[in-house]
């Protein structure tokens, strides 16, 4: 996929992989809050790469999610499940980053990593 944003797309995909690996390492250490947050960021960078492939540039989290729904989920390029997954990862990241007395459970953190991996696979299929 060659666009004027190719290098930025590659950089975002690299960040996706790095954050996904970090999330897995954090799971092993039982840092579930931070692992869930990293899983979200992994999906966030993948979503950003997707938007850049359409020459849409935004760095606001809410903006990225809304734009992915508008340009990829509603148009059927990305299935609805992946749209829901991105929303869920954003929610769980809120708990992981900002939950004072609330924490991400082990099962949720593990699920977050799996969901982020699936999201990345879907993005890679679209990007080709």
């Amino acid at each position: 996929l060659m666009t004027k944003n190719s290098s930025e797309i590659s950089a975002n995909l690299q960040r996706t992989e790095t954050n996904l690996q970090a999330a897995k390492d954090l799971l092993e250490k039982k840092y579930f809050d931070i692992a869930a947050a990293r899983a979200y960021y992994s999906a966030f960078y993948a979503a950003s790469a997707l938007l850049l492939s359409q020459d849409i540039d935004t760095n606001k989290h809410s903006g990225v999610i809304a734009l992915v729904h508008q340009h990829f989920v509603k148009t059927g390029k990305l299935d609805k499940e992946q749209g829901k997954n991105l929303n869920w990862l954003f929610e769980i990241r809120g708990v992981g980053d900002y939950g004072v007395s609330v924490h991400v459970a082990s099962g949720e953190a593990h699920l977050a990593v799996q969901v982020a991996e699936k999201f990345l696979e879907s993005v890679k299929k679209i990007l080709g």
Side-chain angles (χ1 to χ4, degrees):
L1 181 86
M2 285 303 295
T3 73
K4 63 179 166 63
N5 297 317
S6 288
S7 62
E8 269 189 85
I9 291 168
S10 298
N12 271 295
L13 291 174
Q14 188 54 59
R15 285 181 135 185
T16 294
E17 301 283 1
T18 306
N19 277 273
L20 201 50
Q21 190 53 58
K24 289 174 183 177
D25 295 349
L26 289 159
L27 278 183
E28 281 180 28
K29 295 192 166 87
K30 303 198 178 348
Y31 293 128
F32 301 127
D33 286 330
I34 315 169
R38 285 300 117 198
Y40 162 72
Y41 281 107
S42 162
F44 171 78
Y45 290 123
S48 298
L50 208 51
L51 293 173
L52 282 166
S53 75
Q54 302 282 307
D55 295 325
I56 304 160
D57 195 1
T58 181
N59 44 26
K60 274 200 180 137
H61 291 261
S62 55
V64 165
I65 294 168
L67 288 164
V68 165
H69 280 276
Q70 187 186 332
H71 294 276
F72 291 92
V73 180
K74 285 191 175 121
T75 58
K77 290 177 191 159
L78 187 66
D79 67 53
K80 285 195 176 79
E81 189 199 355
Q82 295 309 326
K84 285 180 186 153
N85 284 346
L86 186 58
N87 291 356
W88 180 74
L89 285 168
F90 182 66
E91 284 167 31
I92 203 112
R93 170 246 174 177
V95 176
D97 278 354
Y98 306 113
V100 179
S101 57
V102 193
H103 291 281
V104 176
S106 166
E108 287 178 313
H110 281 85
L111 183 62
V113 170
Q114 288 168 3
V115 163
E117 273 184 310
K118 283 207 184 89
F119 186 80
L120 176 57
E121 278 167 30
S122 300
V123 166
K124 282 181 167 170
K125 272 187 195 131
I126 294 168
L127 294 177

